[in-house]
Amino acid sequence: MSFHHQEIEKKWQNYWEEKKTFKTDTYSEKEKFYALDMFPYPSGAGLHVGHPLSYTATDILSRMKRMQGYEVLHPMGWDSFGLPAEQYAIDTGNSPKDFTLSNIATFKRQMKEIGFSYDWDREISTMDPKYYKWTQWIFKKLYEKGLAYVDEVAVNWCPALNTVLANEEVIDGKSERGGHPVYRKPMRQWVLKITAYADRLLEDLEELDWPENLKDMQRNWIGKSEGAEVRFSIDGHDKHFDVFTTRPDTLFGATYAVFAPEHPYVKEIVTEAQKSAVEDYLHKVETKSDLERTDLAKDKTGVFTGAYAINPVNNEKMPIWIADYVLMSYGTGAIMAVPGHDERDYEFATKFELPIVEVVSGGDLSAEAYVGDGEHVNSEFLNGLHNEEAISKMIDWLEKNNVGKKQITYRLRDWLFSRQRYWGEPIPIIHWEDGTMTTVPDEELPLELPEMEEIKPSGTGESPLANSDWVNVIDPKTGMKGRRETNTMPQWAGSCWYFLRYIDPDNPDQLADPEALKKWLPVDIYIGGAEHAVLHLLYARFWHKFLYDIDVVPTKEPFMKLFNQGMILGEGNEKMSKSKGNVVNPDDIISSHGADTLRLYEMFMGPLEASVAWSTNGLDGARRFLDRVWRLFISEEGALSGKIIEEENKAMDKVYNETVKKVTEDFETLQFNTAISQMMVFVNEGNKQEKLPKDYMEGFVKLLSPVAPHLAEELWEKLGHEDTITYEPWPAYDETKLVEDEIEIAVQIMGKVRAKIHAAKDATKEDLEEQALANEKIKEQIEGKTVRKVIVVPGKLVNIVAN
RNA sequence: GCCGGUGUGGCGGAAUUGGCAGACGCGUGGGACUCAAAAUCCCAUGUCCUUUGCGGGACGUGUCGGUUCGACCCCGACCACCGGUACCA
C-alpha cells in the first residue's frame, strides 16, 4: 500500500496554517538563522519547476535549523513592479495592479501546496504603497546625500512606438515589438552614484562566503585598474587634455593620441584642411547604433584631426586622431597610443602607417605588439628597468614635473535609475515653475501611483504618468505651480532592500526597528539564480552600504553566504520554453506524484548548482522511495509496522549513526543529493532487518522531514506523537558507533588491489605488513620478485612494491 | 580574445580532497509472486579477453605527457562544452 499524498498534504498544510507553525518571533531569545530566497516576479505563467529548486533548498535548511533550536526567519514576497504587467495593461486596457495581484494569488497558492515553511505574516510586495513608501524614503536619503543626480543620458528612443525601450527590448537595433528602428537619444535621467562606492564594493567582497566565480564577475564588472593620468598640451592651442594609461612606462613610445569621436575638444582643434574628413567621420559614427559600432570594431577606423599633442616626456609632436575604438565613457575619452606595446594601437598604427617605436625589449615589433615584461629601451631615464620599476619611476617623474599623477579608474558606471514607465515606484520629486526642484516631504510618503483609466505612452518620451492630472501640483503656501517627476524607479529598486523589510514588515514609522535589524542581519544564506550575479547583488550591496553609512543597518554587507542554484532543463536537455512545449508545470506534478515527491526529486537530481534535465523516470523513482519509506513504517492495514519496537538492534547502529552524520553535514553544505542517497541506504538496510528500534526510526523521520515534510508529519503522528515534528530536536549521532572493530584492508601490489584482508581497526603498521605478506594470494603474486618497499596506511591499505 | 567553470558506465551522478573508481537513483536483463498484467520483492549490470564452471586477467575518470609506492584528485600542454565579458587604454 502506498500513501495518499493528496489527503496527507492537504491535512498538514491546513494544520500548519491554522496553528501558524512557522511564525517567527522577531525578538526571540534563541539564536537566529535567516534563510532568504530571491523573491520572484509574479508572472502570468505561474510557478515554474525551476522555482522550487532553490526554494526547497532554503526550506530544508530552515526546517533543520528550527529543529536545531534556532529562531528561523524564512520569508517570501513579490517583486511585483515590472515591465510585463505594464505591457499587458497597454495591450488590454486592464489594470496592471489587478493583473499582478491575481498572479500573486496563484504563486502563493502554489507555494503553499509545495509545503514551504514561510511565515506568511511577513509577506511583502514591492508594489504595495506601505512598502514603497520606504523605497521612496531611501531614494530621498540618497538624493539628500548627493548620491542621486540628474544627467543627460542617451536612451533607446523608438519614434514609431513613441517610447523609450529597455536594452533587452532592443534587438539588433530594432524594437522587439514591431521591429521599428531605435535611436540613441539623450534624455534627462536620474542616476545613482554607485561609483562612489566602487572601492568598498570591491574590497568587501573578500569577507563574503560567495562562490569565487561570482565574486570574479563582480570584480570584473567594477573593473578597477591602476595606472596614471598624463597631461598633454595641444600644439598651437592654449589647451591640454588628460589621458589614462595603465602603462605610463611606455610614454616614450607614444607616437600619436586618439580622441573618442564624442570628445568635446574635437571640434575646436580640427584644422581647416581636415574639417570635412572629420565631419564625415563623425556623421558616420553618429548614425551607427552601439551594436553596429562593435561590429565595425573588427576593422579599425579613424581620421586625423590635423592637430598635434606634445609628449611631455620628450616634447615630440604627436598627431591627434579620432577613432571610435576609444570610448568616451571610459577613462578620459582620450588615449596616448603606444603602438609598439598595445595590440589595438598596433593595429591602428599599421593600418594608418603611423610610427611604431620599441620601448620595451623582448618582442618582435615587425609582427605584433609586445605587451609583456622586458628591459626598457629608447626611454632615457627608464632604460634598463623592467615594467614594474619603470611604471613607478615614470609616475614619480610625472608628479615631479606636474604633468600627471597616479590614477585609478573603474569600468563601473553610475546607475541609470529612471524608467519612462507607469508601473514602478514614483520618484518623489517635484519640479517647480521657477526651475527649482524639491523632494516630496516625508509626511506625504508614500507618493502613490494614480489610478489611470488608460495606460499609454505619452508620446514625448515621458512615462504614461505625464498623461495624468497627478503630475500637477500647487504649493499650498506660495501658490507656485509645479510638476511631479514622471519617471519611475527601475525594478531593481524594490529588490535592493526587501530582505530588510521582512524583519519588521508592518512598521509604519521606520524602515525597520533597528533592534530587530541588529538581531537578524546579515542574511545567513541567500539562494537564487546566477542571472542576478552582477546587477541585483551589486545594487543591493550598494544600497546596504549606503544605509550602513546613515546608520540604518548595522552591517556592511547584507548577504554573508550566497549560492547560485542551477537550471532545470527540459527532457531533451534544452531550456524549458512554451515554444518547445517542454515546460513541466508543478501543479501537475503535485497532483500526480505529490509535493513531497517534487521536493525530493528536485533535491536528488544532482548538485544544487548543476543544470540537469527533468526526467519523468527519475521523478517516479523519487516517489518509489517515499513509498518504500511508508511501507517500512506502516503495515498493509495502515497501522504502525510491528517491526518497529522499543528494543535495540546492534545491526542498525552503524548505518543509523552514519546516516545522522551524513545527512546533517550534507544539509549544512547544501549537498542534498548525497544526503538523500544516504537516507536511501538507511531504508535499504531497514528493509533487511526484522527488528527496527523505535528511536532510530523516529530519528530517521526527523532527518527526512525537511525534505518530505508532509509525509514526515504523518509518520510522526502514526508513531504516536500529537504535536508537529517541526520543533522536535534534531537527531544526534554517536561517534563511537561509526567505527567497526574489524575493518577491511586493501592489499596492493604496485598500486593495484590484489587482495583484501581483515584486521583490527587499530592494527599497527607492522601487524598489517606481516598479515599482508602472509596472505596466500599475495604470496603467489610476489613469488620470484624482490620486495623493495612496503607502504602501510593504517586503517586503509598496504601497498607492496615488488619487481 | 580575455576571465571563470565543467569533462567519470546506457543516463543523473558518488568518491572522506593523494589511498579499494562507479555509492545512491534511473534504465536494462533475468527470476519470484500472479490465471495474466500492474505494483512489489530478489539477483545481475563499466568495457574487453579468458574459463565447461568456480574463477582469472587486461583496460578504464576528455586527450597527451609529468610528479608519486600510489593520481578522477597535484603539475604542464592540448581538445570540447557551459557561463560571464566585449576595443576598458
Side-chain angles (χ1 to χ4, degrees), chain A residues 37-43 46-47 51 55 75-82 100-112 116 118-120 122-128 131-132 423 425 491 493-495 498-499 502:
Chain A
D37 291 312
M38 285 188 186
F39 66 169
Y41 172 73
S43 74
L47 217 58
H51 288 114
Y55 296 166
M76 182 43 77
W78 318 106
D79 190 12
S80 45
F81 279 127
T100 308
L101 286 174
S102 101
N103 292 345
I104 288 175
T106 303
F107 267 68
K108 192 168 171 182
R109 170 188 62 79
Q110 290 180 304
M111 287 182 180
K112 285 186 172 178
F116 293 133
Y118 297 126
D119 176 359
W120 284 108
R122 289 170 189 265
E123 175 182 358
I124 56 160
S125 180
T126 55
M127 65 182 248
D128 180 351
Y131 178 86
Y132 69 68
W423 193 232
E425 300 88 347
Q491 206 179 351
S495 60
Y498 71 109
F499 52 93
Y502 284 139

Side-chain angles (χ1 to χ4, degrees), chain A residues 550-576:
Chain A
I550 61 168
D551 289 325
V552 173
V553 298
T555 60
K556 284 198 279 184
E557 285 287 335
F559 317 119
M560 266 327 286
K561 181 169 179 173
L562 184 123
F563 198 86
N564 291 132
Q565 89 277 13
M567 227 185 335
I568 296 185
L569 306 169
E571 293 215 66
N573 244 313
E574 291 170 304
K575 248 187 178 168
M576 282 192 190

Side-chain angles (χ1 to χ4, degrees), chain A residues 33 103 160 182 226 234 306 351 353 474 676 679 702 708:
Chain A
F33 187 81
N103 292 345
V182 175
E226 293 180 42
I234 300 172
K351 181 165 175 188
E353 295 176 339
I474 293 171
I676 291 166
M679 289 195 264
K702 289 179 187 176

